[in-house]
Amino acid sequence: MKFLALILANLKRKKVRTALTIGSFASALFLFGLLIATRNAFTGGVEVAGADRLIVINRVSLIQPLPIAYRDRILQVPRVTAVTFASWFGGVYQDERNFFPQFAIDPATWRAMYPEFLVADAEWDEFMKDRQAAIAGESTAKRFGWKVGDRIPIRGTYLPGVWEFNLRGIYRGSRPEDDTTQFWLRRDYLEENGPAWFKGLVGWYVVKVANPDDAPGVIAAIDERFANSPWETKTETEKSFATAFVKQIGNIEFLILSIGAVVFFTLLLVTGNTMAIAVRERTSELAVLKTVGFGDTLVLWLVLGESLFLAFIGGTLGVLAAKAVAPHLSSFMYGANVFLPASNLALGIVLALIAGALAAALPALSAMRLKVVEALRRV
Amino acid sequence: MSIPLIYNVRSVRQRWTSGIVAVLGIAGAVGVFVAMLSMARGFKATLVASGSPGNAIVLRAGAASEMISIITVNDVQAIQNAPGIERGEGGPRVSPEVVVIAAFPLKKTGTDANVQVRGVSPRVLEIRDRVRITQGRMFGAGLNELIAGRNVAGTYAGLDLGSSVKFGGGTWTVVGIFDAGGSAFDSELWCDALVLNQVYKRPQNVFQSMTVHLTSEAGFPAFKDALTSDPRLSVQAERERDYYEKNSRALTTMITVLGTLVAFVMGIGAVFGALNTMYSAVSERTREIGTMRALGFGGGSVVTSFVFESVFIAGLGGLVGCAAVLPINGWTTGTINFETFSHLAFAFRVTPGLMGIGIVFALMMGLIGGLPPAIRAVRRPVAAALREL
Amino acid sequence: MVKIDGTSNGNSLIRVRNLGKAYQRGSQELRVLQGLNLDIEKGDFVAFMGPSGSGKTTLLNLLGGLDVPTEGSVSVAGEEITAMSAHRLTAWRARHVGFVFQMYNLIPVLTAFQNVELPLLLTKLSKADRRHHVDTALGLVGLAGRTGHFPRQLSGGEEQRVAIARAFVTDPTFLLCDEPTGDLDRKSAEEIMELIDRLVHEYGKTVLMVTHDPRAAERAHAVLHLDKGTLIEGTGKTA
């Protein structure tokens, strides 16, 4: 509106200072964006956990297998609508640092269990036809520059030898937080060509229930069914499984909040000081505005307006830069899904505006309270 | 002729509100930097401490970690007769080991975390001589008994001395607590390897690794050669210290990279703050500067003077930042070690070296924040500067 | 007609009764104005003179609603401004008063055009209307070609002319000038006084001016001296 010209003119007064202040906001929000993206990478599993899915593992230890025979018995439990299973392949692609999760899956039942993962029908058909086939997630494929049709060699660790797979498809996530780092290969291929001990054993089961409310009942039923057997089970919802995992990582949220708090506090200090200096320098001009008839409140809003404007520009630059950089952090974080959805960006800009308002609060108040008579006398 | 430093110190004191802002801005950047690096250091130190210089660890050739390695009982026989291994009363000082993970509830959150359970030889204390039993006693061979690292009892529910736990289809008793000198072992549970194999339904005499105690550090090359040239064996040997150092690398790198990135960006913000402070200082003191130059202090003196002021403020900020972070030294926290998939407790390590790096970081920010304004201070023609109100 | 005795014939545009202003300096009270009366009619041009510290600027500030008196009242066009709240006073000031200062007090980051436009931003006029008023005002002061220039690009005299344009662009009830020629050379000062003269005689503006300059005071209809906190008649036409 009409006062915007006045605000802009004031900001052009000391271009270096304006640029530095925008830079402060931008760097703080850039950091905010990266921190949130890192948190998303760690906790993403919890967000995307299927409300109607359960994970069944060996009660003794996560790394112990379960018999494949359990599948039919789990299917018989009331309110269970589907069951699939997978094993951790854990191989090395070229270098140990190129980590990405590799699952040996059951082609017949996997796709229906995870509707959030999208694979072209043609590609899935190819996967079903070729025993040596594999499907990779979008971000892993992009990371290594894979195309459909490539031959991917992976050195096995638990199952020794170098295994070669034909990349028959690439899956996408339907939401930004979906994990597209996974690599799916066929369990039957491993059974045929792997060591004897692998036959008949799976890493874990994934169970779909008719309704999320059925979960507690089904959990109890499954674990009871296999209690006191040589392979006892531990069932929990996908969400609680993911949450427990995140909790192991430790106080990530706390750490990130602390850093974020320090960053914001510093930003407020720096910007607040700048605004205070700027207002102090313009005392006589503010007095003139008041003599012309600009009310106290209007002057308050003009000062706040300057700060909010800088906060908005700097904040937007910062979060956009974070969004651009975030995916590149992936290689330092075991290929995890480091993402920054639009809602986080919006939050960042809002926080920037709040910081801008807070930083300018005291200077704006002093501008509002400025007594014209005294200010003019100072000239 | 150089401008007396006391002028700068007094000027800073006079405009202390601005100065405080710059100090705190830099303190924030330095504090976060030192904190994150000390986390990485602490994590690494814990793992590296796990390796004794006099020990070597043997894994299957090509295995990057214990979890995916296989050492058969035949391998054990061949290895334990290799040269360089110290011999004690019970025979060669070797410990064939198996590592698994088991889930126990964390005291803090109630949710499960994976503890590393290490099946060892009952004579393991001879091999890992830095480990001491501090309470209770060593487990008995062939029994369902556990000894717990000193961090375990505090972190997990139900693993205090004397408690009984059920896992792996049997009931076990915690008969002792051991202290492993701040290494990864402090987060582990130890028991008899043969018993563990049974419980986890693993083939009876198959292990994952073998740790041996050498007669001397210098004996390692000979030991290693003997193993690689033995046609019956397909193994690799490493100094224990190197093995654990490698293990810590990924997580340490991640924390270091993130920490440096955060500190760098915060540093930019701090520099902006310092620049703003110094530019306005120059602006407010235009007449003073003009006067000094009229008196005969050269342009170089003025620049040096202002840069000193900025570096002085930054140095203060660095000290404040380090002082603020110092209390977290020794604070123990835990996280997951992605290499072993298990929970690992470690302590933040704020070393003098790190603080030194922090101070240097601060001084650099002071330099960058002080130079442009100082140069601007000098560019103004003296007459114009003196006319300023 | 200008009167300072507190009597009036009811035609006054500005009516001041028993005006007093005192300041607290620590434990001491400093009395600047005392028992001051003043009646000014529409179209009057009054000059206030007096030694430094005699309270001339204080009087101007009180008349313009920039300050509140310790005692007494000021009424303008029938409204008693001394009884108004700060909020109403601001709005009143925007509508009724135009200020001209010794140091011009233009905003350096705004062009001449934008400076003159400032008071209009407080009104509901459209952008086109505002532009029309500003152009007219700047044309009147003889700066039609310099609208896009910044204060630093103008001479002292030109800056003051912009300030005057800003002062009357809203067509205020009266103008208050505090030493308008104080910072100008002889020639520019003459030009400024010419301009103020035109405002009074061609456009019927009411102008109250504080000045040290006898030549500027000559132009006024009446010259009043401030002495010991109150007004006395001076040389020049009165009543």
Side-chain angles (χ1 to χ4, degrees):
Chain A
M1 52 172 210
K2 53 191 175 180
F3 294 111
L4 192 59
L6 194 53
I7 291 178
L8 285 177
N10 271 320
L11 291 176
K12 277 196 263 185
R13 177 196 308 268
K14 292 217 161 131
K15 299 210 179 75
V16 173
R17 173 190 293 166
T18 300
L20 289 177
T21 312
I22 291 183
S24 297
F25 276 107
S27 54
L29 268 301
F30 174 66
L31 217 47
F32 165 81
L34 287 186
L35 289 173
I36 294 276
T38 307
R39 191 214 79 183
N40 287 344
F42 283 121
T43 62
V46 178
E47 314 284 320
V48 300
D52 57 355
R53 289 197 295 252
L54 311 173
I55 304 277
V56 184
I57 59 171
N58 187 312
R59 175 164 289 274
V60 171
S61 168
L62 173 62
I63 60 170
Q64 288 291 89
L66 290 171
I68 202 168
Y70 277 17
R71 179 167 171 263
D72 292 333
R73 296 176 63 189
I74 294 176
L75 261 176
Q76 287 163 11
V77 171
R79 308 298 293 169
V80 168
T81 57
V83 175
T84 188
F85 49 81
S87 297
W88 181 263
F89 185 62
V92 173
Y93 173 69
Q94 293 173 347
D95 190 302
E96 259 139 41
R97 280 172 298 184
N98 293 341
F99 173 86
F100 54 92
Q102 302 138 27
F103 300 146
I105 65 171
D106 175 35
T109 52
W110 183 262
R111 198 181 185 202
M113 185 62 72
Y114 292 102
E116 63 263 40
F117 295 140
L118 308 170
V119 190
D121 288 335
E123 293 179 350
W124 187 262
D125 286 342
E126 291 300 309
F127 179 72
M128 294 292 276
K129 282 192 269 184
D130 176 5
R131 288 185 108 84
Q132 245 186 313
I135 292 187
E138 207 173 31
S139 52
T140 299
K142 202 189 298 188
R143 187 173 163 203
F144 300 116
W146 291 340
K147 303 266 179 302
V148 173
D150 284 353
R151 203 152 166 86
I152 318 283
I154 298 187
R155 179 162 55 84
T157 50
Y158 298 100
L159 288 81
V162 177
W163 298 74
E164 297 204 327
F165 301 100
N166 303 317
L167 192 64
R168 293 291 179 202
I170 294 181
Y171 78 82
R172 294 176 291 115
S174 46
R175 307 163 288 190
E177 51 267 28
D178 283 323
D179 177 18
T180 56
T181 61
Q182 298 171 20
F183 185 86
W184 305 332
L185 44 121
R186 292 178 56 149
R187 187 214 154 58
D188 45 5
Y189 178 61
L190 291 186
E191 266 208 357
E192 274 167 28
N193 301 293
W197 61 263
F198 187 73
K199 296 194 195 340
L201 292 175
V202 301
W204 65 89
Y205 284 96
V206 186
V207 178
K208 191 185 281 235
V209 294
N211 187 297
D213 297 329
D214 295 324
V218 172
I219 288 173
I222 294 179
D223 287 342
E224 211 209 287
R225 188 159 283 215
F226 303 110
N228 300 316
S229 74
W231 310 87
E232 290 193 325
T233 59
K234 176 158 172 276
T235 310
E236 53 186 336
T237 61
E238 208 175 64
K239 195 170 212 115
S240 87
F241 181 76
T243 309
F245 189 76
V246 171
K247 289 240 169 82
Q248 277 199 104
I249 295 178
N251 291 325
I252 284 292
E253 300 261 29
F254 176 68
L255 181 71
I256 289 182
L257 275 175
S258 316
I259 297 180
V262 173
V263 170
F264 258 84
F265 178 67
T266 312
L267 176 70
L268 279 181
L269 265 183
V270 166
T271 331
N273 188 50
T274 308
M275 292 306 298
I277 294 173
V279 167
R280 207 162 53 217
E281 286 173 354
R282 290 180 5 222
T283 310
S284 55
E285 279 176 40
L286 291 170
V288 169
L289 286 179
K290 288 198 179 185
T291 60
V292 162
F294 278 59
D296 292 340
T297 333
L298 182 52
V299 168
L300 172 94
W301 280 106
L302 283 176
V303 173
L304 273 181
E306 271 179 50
S307 189
L308 288 174
F309 184 77
L310 293 176
F312 182 71
I313 302 273
T316 308
L317 284 175
V319 293
L320 287 179
K323 188 166 174 76
V325 169
H328 295 276
L329 287 182
S330 203
S331 40
F332 295 107
M333 296 180 57
Y334 300 100
N337 189 18
V338 187
F339 65 93
L340 205 55
S343 57
N344 287 157
L345 296 182
L347 175 65
I349 296 181
V350 166
L351 285 174
L353 289 174
I354 293 178
L358 283 175
L362 288 178
L365 277 173
S366 77
M368 179 176 90
R369 295 218 206 96
L370 183 69
K371 285 263 167 295
V372 182
V373 182
E374 287 163 22
L376 288 179
R377 197 180 297 139
R378 273 191 241 165
V379 170
Chain B
M1 187 157 55
S2 56
I3 299 170
L5 297 180
I6 194 71
Y7 160 70
N8 297 106
V9 176
R10 292 236 181 91
S11 299
V12 170
R13 210 149 35 119
Q14 203 180 37
R15 298 179 65 249
W16 63 275
T17 39
S18 263
I20 290 236
V21 167
V23 165
L24 288 179
I26 292 187
V30 170
V32 166
F33 183 61
V34 173
M36 295 219 66
L37 285 193
S38 67
M39 186 160 89
R41 280 284 161 97
F43 184 77
K44 182 165 177 185
T46 302
L47 280 175
V48 168
S50 312
S52 335
N55 285 0
I57 186 166
V58 183
L59 300 173
R60 174 150 232 72
S65 79
E66 291 175 282
M67 294 199 89
I68 46 180
S69 159
I70 298 179
I71 303 276
T72 66
V73 69
N74 294 331
D75 294 333
V76 172
Q77 306 283 30
I79 295 168
Q80 71 185 14
N81 292 319
I85 298 183
E86 197 172 66
R87 273 154 179 74
E89 288 169 4
R93 292 217 158 118
V94 301
S95 175
E97 299 185 344
V98 177
V99 176
V100 298
I101 55 179
F104 289 97
L106 285 167
K107 264 188 183 153
K108 210 185 290 184
T109 64
T111 53
D112 281 352
N114 293 316
V115 186
Q116 186 140 292
V117 181
R118 183 180 292 272
V120 298
S121 151
R123 292 166 48 225
V124 67
L125 294 177
E126 292 176 42
I127 289 91
R128 295 212 164 85
D129 50 15
R130 264 119 123 264
V131 177
R132 269 162 236 310
I133 304 270
T134 51
Q135 296 173 57
R137 57 170 176 82
M138 181 59 171
F139 61 78
L143 299 176
N144 277 25
E145 292 184 343
L146 302 166
I147 54 173
R150 69 174 182 200
N151 281 326
V152 171
T155 317
Y156 300 92
L159 288 175
D160 306 291
L161 180 61
S163 36
S164 275
V165 292
K166 263 173 109 72
F167 83 91
T171 311
W172 302 68
T173 320
V174 179
V175 300
I177 309 274
F178 67 87
D179 180 331
S183 69
F185 301 132
D186 283 320
S187 300
E188 289 182 355
L189 283 171
W190 287 2
C191 62
D192 187 330
L194 296 175
V195 177
L196 197 61
N197 270 346
Q198 274 181 337
V199 166
Y200 274 66
K201 302 187 201 14
R202 292 168 46 90
Q204 193 44 21
N205 279 314
V206 174
F207 308 95
Q208 291 172 337
S209 68
M210 197 150 136
T211 302
V212 310
H213 189 83
L214 301 170
T215 44
S216 79
E217 269 188 69
F220 176 73
F223 171 70
K224 178 175 171 169
D225 288 338
L227 257 49
T228 44
S229 56
D230 188 331
R232 300 169 291 173
L233 296 172
S234 174
V235 296
Q236 65 191 35
E238 260 185 298
R239 289 189 195 274
E240 202 182 26
R241 188 148 265 178
D242 296 338
Y243 171 71
Y244 280 104
E245 199 264 320
K246 262 194 339 198
N247 247 279
S248 74
R249 213 175 279 165
L251 192 55
T252 309
T253 307
M254 182 172 93
I255 299 176
T256 307
V257 166
L258 273 181
T260 310
L261 185 61
V262 168
F264 180 69
V265 178
M266 282 194 76
I268 292 181
V271 167
F272 285 160
L275 279 172
N276 263 335
T277 302
M278 291 311 294
Y279 270 125
S280 63
V282 164
S283 198
E284 278 182 29
R285 281 144 67 180
T286 306
R287 203 134 51 106
E288 284 172 40
I289 299 169
T291 308
M292 285 194 288
R293 292 180 62 204
L295 284 178
F297 288 99
S301 309
V302 173
V303 170
T304 314
S305 174
F306 271 91
V307 170
F308 166 75
E309 192 168 320
S310 178
V311 169
F312 173 66
I313 294 176
L316 284 178
L319 287 171
V320 170
C322 286
V325 167
L326 211 45
I328 68 168
N329 187 31
W331 182 51
T332 309
T333 185
T335 190
I336 190 170
N337 181 2
F338 285 100
E339 304 289 334
T340 59
F341 233 56
S342 59
H343 190 87
L344 180 69
F346 65 96
F348 277 77
R349 283 270 229 100
V350 182
T351 65
L354 275 185
M355 291 200 285
I357 296 179
I359 303 271
V360 169
F361 181 40
L363 295 177
M364 261 171 41
M365 288 193 275
L367 189 64
I368 301 175
L371 207 49
I375 294 179
R376 180 189 278 193
V378 167
R379 286 259 199 84
R380 249 328 187 17
V382 180
L386 286 173
R387 266 206 308 268
E388 281 273 329
L389 278 160
Chain C
M1 187 152 90
V2 178
K3 297 186 83 158
I4 55 169
D5 55 7
T7 65
S8 82
N9 54 13
N11 268 353
S12 317
L13 178 66
I14 299 173
R15 171 204 289 253
V16 178
R17 291 287 175 269
N18 200 31
L19 196 63
K21 180 72 184 176
Y23 292 104
Q24 279 293 118
R25 282 274 178 271
S27 54
Q28 286 195 304
E29 196 194 60
L30 214 69
R31 189 143 272 278
V32 182
L33 296 176
Q34 178 92 37
L36 200 144
N37 296 311
L38 184 61
D39 285 273
I40 295 179
E41 284 177 15
K42 188 167 174 355
D44 277 340
F45 180 5
V46 185
F48 296 96
M49 299 186 80
S52 260
S54 55
K56 307 190 296 295
T57 302
T58 307
L59 176 59
L60 226 59
N61 287 340
L62 287 168
L63 291 176
L66 285 179
D67 200 358
V68 284
T70 320
E71 319 79 44
S73 70
V74 176
S75 300
V76 176
E79 289 181 281
E80 194 180 322
I81 63 173
T82 38
M84 282 186 196
S85 67
H87 184 74
R88 261 193 80 200
L89 202 49
T90 309
W92 173 86
R93 193 164 59 239
R95 174 72 199 82
H96 291 275
V97 190
F99 279 93
V100 180
F101 301 97
Q102 176 177 353
M103 298 305 296
Y104 336 130
N105 283 351
L106 295 182
I107 300 200
V109 295
L110 298 177
T111 61
F113 182 97
Q114 289 169 322
N115 265 292
V116 176
E117 196 192 20
L118 264 182
L120 295 177
L121 293 179
L122 298 166
T123 64
K124 293 198 181 8
L125 291 174
S126 71
K127 193 162 166 162
D129 282 340
R130 294 203 298 269
R131 182 169 320 127
H132 177 73
H133 279 69
V134 172
D135 284 340
T136 309
L138 280 172
L140 210 146
V141 301
L143 287 175
R146 311 293 296 279
T147 52
H149 286 159
F150 289 93
R152 64 173 179 276
Q153 296 167 296
L154 302 171
S155 72
E158 286 166 338
E159 282 191 75
Q160 193 62 299
R161 285 195 262 164
V162 173
I164 291 176
R166 179 182 67 194
F168 71 78
V169 75
T170 50
D171 194 21
T173 307
F174 62 105
L175 284 139
L176 290 174
C177 306
D178 195 348
E179 311 265 12
T181 58
D183 212 53
L184 299 172
D185 60 82
R186 187 77 265 138
K187 183 164 176 302
S188 303
E190 272 300 310
E191 286 172 2
I192 292 301
M193 287 320 299
E194 265 297 318
L195 186 51
I196 294 181
D197 217 26
R198 276 177 64 204
L199 285 174
V200 173
H201 292 111
E202 277 180 48
Y203 296 89
K205 290 285 166 209
T206 312
V207 175
L208 278 62
M209 180 176 74
V210 160
T211 187
H212 269 137
D213 186 354
R215 298 249 273 273
E218 260 172 29
R219 305 250 192 177
H221 296 161
V223 180
L224 299 173
H225 287 268
L226 258 174
D227 191 27
K228 296 191 192 55
T230 191
L231 288 170
I232 54 177
E233 320 267 18
T235 55
K237 322 147 230 170
T238 1

